[in-house]
Amino acid sequence: QPIKISLGDSLIMKKKHPCGSEAFKVLRLGSDIRISCLGCGRDLTFQRPALEKMIKKIEPAKSE
């Protein structure tokens, strides 16, 4: 069962990015998920199963 991830959600990861941030924003969904580091802005693309293992917490996007 895949984890429910939506566009714009903030993902808190188990390990920190080399820049020191552990928060990432979801940019693109599909079999591959593209995320952006909220600390330095670097874009990363992961396959869904690999990314799901790295997530500690999901903070939903704020709807306005």
Side-chain angles (χ1 to χ4, degrees):
Q1 186 78 7
I3 297 174
K4 295 204 181 216
I5 301 172
S6 301
L7 204 61
D9 285 356
S10 292
L11 307 177
I12 308 300
M13 305 303 232
K14 292 177 184 174
K15 287 187 173 182
K16 290 186 178 184
H17 191 247
C19 73
S21 175
E22 58 183 18
F24 293 82
K25 184 174 183 176
V26 177
L27 300 177
R28 188 172 66 84
L29 293 170
S31 60
D32 290 345
I33 298 178
R34 190 163 146 228
I35 59 176
S36 176
C37 177
L38 294 178
C40 64
R42 175 147 183 156
D43 285 354
L44 306 163
T45 303
F46 291 100
Q47 292 182 348
R48 183 180 281 268
L51 182 68
E52 287 180 357
K53 291 178 184 176
M54 293 188 261
I55 297 172
K56 181 178 9 176
K57 182 179 168 188
I58 298 174
E59 295 178 353
K62 295 180 175 74
S63 55
E64 295 178 24

